[in-house]
């Protein structure tokens, strides 16, 4: 029996090695595609190509008796690797005549990310961080674009402090809130103004499939090339007014981060044994704990700034707190009927999204379980 098993295991090893060789071959081909895209300024992520390729492989997998979801999982993971390595090839310079680009706060996390992406795209980048203010006037004197990437609570002040910029210089910010920085930029500069919010952190690896929200400020024709450049980096652009952006971010960022913070605070005050929780956790709890824990691996100031960036955020969090109390009162009264009624109301409100989220989360949960050591 041992000999039989060993023979089969040897064959599996050989098959895995063949897969490895094929993966290496695929990565080489992708690298060549990267070269061609880089030369021609084509986006690294093309949704239609990805969708049609996956549809074909799924059909072929089914015909071959391989689960369609398996080939899709494998290919999506392989493609993620390809997007990251496509960054190494560099990108086409869409605006070769632009004068130097200055990143204020360029030594920070987002500043470094944009410095790298801009340099990979052939632009000349200068950094104006805390220590460089004495040279600020000379650094921006011939700037084609100035990008503000300082902590949120300093953004308006730094914009007001900028030396005069050339009239045609594009003034951009990357701040996670949009209304106040955009107003400050419009007041400080009479030339082109653009508000950007990259909806991802600096550890994302690649911009492929990431969302960047943009808010028009002034003279949009002057910065279309920059929006296209961000698309070439693989990101998806989404336009919004600064008001609409901030209203949505109250939910996407302020409320969510605060709820996560409160949950982490509670675990800490209860002094739970995280090791025990992890040992006993279901995949969904492991994923939830990871989402809570990752907040505390990041910058407290950034989250304090995001949550407290507007009185509207605090009002929203207070409404959440009140609803939490109302929902708790059902439990205190042992009123299962009211709880179930509330549950049904929310269920109806989510509608088809509930099923969609169920399907989407299923694959995430499987991945969380796969990663278990
Ligand atoms: P960070 O703290 O890593 O970097 C900020 C940089 O600004 C630092 O290098 C700091 O030295 C510099 N700085 C501080 N005061 C300055 C001054 N007076 N003049 C010049 N430079 C100064 O912060 P970050 O995470 O890179 O965030 C920067 C911006 O990007 C923020 O507006 C934030 O909202 C936005 N943003 C961050 C993330 C994220 O996940 N980190 C995501 C999206 C948007």
């Amino acid at each position: 029996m041992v000999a039989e098993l060993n023979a089969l295991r040897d064959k599996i090893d050989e098959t895995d090695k063949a897969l490895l060789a094929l993966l290496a071959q695929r990565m080489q081909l992708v690298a060549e595609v990267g070269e061609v895209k880089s030369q021609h300024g084509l986006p690294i992520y093309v949704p239609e190509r990805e969708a049609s390729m996956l549809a074909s492989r799924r059909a072929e997998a089914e015909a071959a008796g391989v689960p369609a979801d398996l080939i899709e999982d494998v290919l999506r993971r392989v493609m993620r690797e390809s997007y990251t390595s496509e960054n190494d090839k560099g990108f086409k310079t869409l605006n070769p005549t632009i004068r130097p680009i200055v990143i204020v706060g360029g030594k920070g996390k987002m500043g470094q990310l944009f410095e790298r992406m801009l340099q990979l795209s052939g632009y000349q980048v200068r950094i104006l961080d805390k220590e460089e203010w004495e040279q600020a006037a000379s650094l921006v004197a011939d700037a084609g674009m100035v990008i503000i990437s300082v902590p949120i609570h300093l953004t308006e002040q730094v914009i007001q402090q900028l030396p005069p910029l050339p009239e045609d210089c594009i003034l951009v910010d990357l701040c996670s809130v949009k209304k106040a920085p955009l107003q400050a930029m419009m007041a400080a500069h009479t030339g082109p103004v653009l508000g950007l919010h990259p909806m991802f952190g600096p550890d994302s690896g690649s911009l492929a499939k990431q969302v960047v929200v943009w808010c028009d400020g002034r003279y949009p024709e002057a910065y279309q090339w920059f929006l296209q450049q961000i698309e070439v980096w693989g990101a998806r652009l989404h336009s919004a007014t600064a008001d609409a952006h901030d209203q949505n971010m109250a939910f996407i960022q302020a409320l969510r981060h605060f709820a996560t913070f409160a949950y982490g605070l509670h675990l800490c005050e209860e002094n739970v044994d995280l090791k025990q929780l992890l040992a006993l956790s279901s995949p969904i709890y492991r994923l939830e704990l990871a989402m809570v824990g990752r907040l505390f691996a990041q910058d407290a100031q950034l989250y304090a700034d995001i949550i407290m960036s507007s009185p509207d955020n605090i009002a929203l969090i207070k409404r959440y707190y009140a609803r939490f109390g109302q929902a708790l009162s059902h439990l205190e009264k042992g009123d299962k009927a009211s709880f179930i009624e509330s549950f049904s109301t929310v269920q109806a409100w989510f509608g088809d999204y509930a099923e969609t989220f169920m399907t989407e989360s299923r694959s995430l949960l499987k991945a969380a379980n796969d990663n278990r050591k």
Side-chain angles (χ1 to χ4, degrees):
M1 185 195 75
V2 173
E4 198 180 336
L5 257 186
N6 280 344
L8 284 169
R9 281 181 179 148
D10 285 347
K11 281 187 186 164
I12 289 178
D13 286 349
E14 287 311 311
T15 312
D16 286 351
K17 282 184 209 165
L19 274 174
L20 198 61
L22 283 172
L23 275 177
Q25 188 186 331
R26 192 183 193 284
M27 284 173 80
Q28 178 55 37
L29 288 168
V30 168
E32 288 171 33
V33 169
E35 297 278 1
V36 177
K37 283 187 180 174
S38 160
Q39 279 164 20
H40 296 277
L42 300 170
I44 64 170
Y45 167 54
V46 185
E48 304 77 31
R49 156 80 187 144
E50 192 178 294
S52 77
M53 190 264 267
L54 284 174
S56 307
R57 290 306 91 80
R58 284 184 71 93
E60 288 153 13
E62 265 165 21
V66 174
D69 284 351
L70 173 62
I71 192 68
E72 180 163 347
D73 273 5
V74 171
L75 285 174
R76 282 194 187 279
R77 179 64 190 83
V78 171
M79 285 188 291
R80 164 144 58 91
E81 211 59 38
S82 315
Y83 292 137
T84 312
S85 61
E86 277 185 43
N87 277 1
D88 306 340
K89 301 286 160 292
F91 301 95
K92 186 174 179 180
T93 321
L94 293 194
N95 187 353
T97 57
I98 185 97
R99 299 189 304 270
I101 298 173
V102 178
I103 306 182
V104 185
K107 290 183 184 159
K109 293 181 283 294
M110 283 317 255
Q112 284 181 40
L113 174 70
F114 272 74
E115 178 190 25
R116 189 164 57 83
M117 297 307 287
L118 287 163
Q119 282 177 340
L120 281 169
S121 313
Y123 298 102
Q124 193 193 334
V125 181
R126 292 175 185 161
I127 302 303
L128 197 177
D129 211 275
K130 278 196 294 251
E131 295 79 28
E132 283 83 30
W133 270 103
E134 278 180 17
Q135 299 105 279
S138 66
L139 282 170
V140 304
D142 60 341
M145 180 158 79
V146 170
I147 302 177
I148 311 293
S149 183
V150 298
I152 302 176
H153 69 285
L154 297 174
T155 299
E156 285 166 75
Q157 178 196 322
V158 164
I159 292 168
Q160 284 154 10
Q161 208 181 318
L162 283 174
L165 307 177
E167 183 57 39
D168 62 347
C169 176
I170 306 162
L171 181 57
V172 186
D173 83 302
L174 303 181
C175 194
S176 307
V177 291
K178 291 274 56 90
K179 195 172 167 193
L182 200 61
Q183 278 171 353
M185 290 195 295
M186 297 292 278
H189 179 51
T190 52
V193 168
L194 167 66
L196 287 184
H197 181 193
M199 293 302 307
F200 49 87
D203 60 346
S204 309
S206 158
L207 265 66
K209 302 185 181 186
Q210 303 286 1
V211 173
V212 177
V213 181
W214 103 84
C215 303
D216 279 322
R218 189 186 296 118
Y219 305 138
E221 61 285 359
Y223 52 73
Q224 288 314 303
W225 68 270
F226 187 42
L227 295 175
Q228 281 161 15
Q229 188 75 61
I230 293 172
E231 277 183 324
V232 167
W233 295 341
R236 282 187 280 194
L237 289 165
H238 189 90
S239 142
T241 64
D243 272 331
H245 169 277
D246 288 0
Q247 278 161 20
N248 284 294
M249 288 309 138
F251 288 91
I252 296 172
Q253 298 200 313
L255 176 64
R256 187 175 60 84
H257 294 323
F258 182 77
T260 304
F261 162 77
Y263 189 68
L265 177 69
H266 186 59
L267 291 182
C268 162
E269 300 274 324
E270 296 282 316
N271 198 19
V272 295
D273 182 345
L274 284 177
K275 207 171 159 199
Q276 277 281 315
L277 283 188
L278 279 174
L280 301 177
S281 66
S282 58
I284 194 160
Y285 189 67
R286 194 187 167 84
L287 203 58
E288 189 169 310
L289 210 49
M291 291 303 154
V292 174
R294 64 171 278 124
L295 184 87
F296 297 96
Q298 298 175 70
D299 183 6
Q301 178 76 53
L302 175 67
Y303 289 102
D305 280 358
I306 289 176
I307 295 167
M308 296 180 206
S309 64
S310 149
D312 295 344
N313 293 350
I314 315 298
L316 178 67
I317 291 169
K318 276 182 145 175
R319 293 200 295 281
Y320 180 61
Y321 178 63
R323 293 214 171 86
F324 202 98
Q326 286 159 16
L328 185 63
S329 73
H330 298 320
L331 309 192
E332 280 176 333
K333 289 185 221 143
D335 185 355
K336 273 193 196 160
S338 300
F339 176 83
I340 290 169
E341 195 188 316
S342 265
F343 193 103
S344 309
T345 308
V346 182
Q347 195 166 45
W349 180 80
F350 265 95
D352 291 344
Y353 278 109
E355 255 330 296
T356 309
F357 292 151
M358 185 79 187
T359 313
E360 211 174 286
S361 58
R362 200 171 285 137
S363 57
L364 292 175
L365 294 178
K366 283 182 188 155
N369 208 31
D370 290 345
N371 290 336
R372 202 169 208 159
K373 299 212 172 61

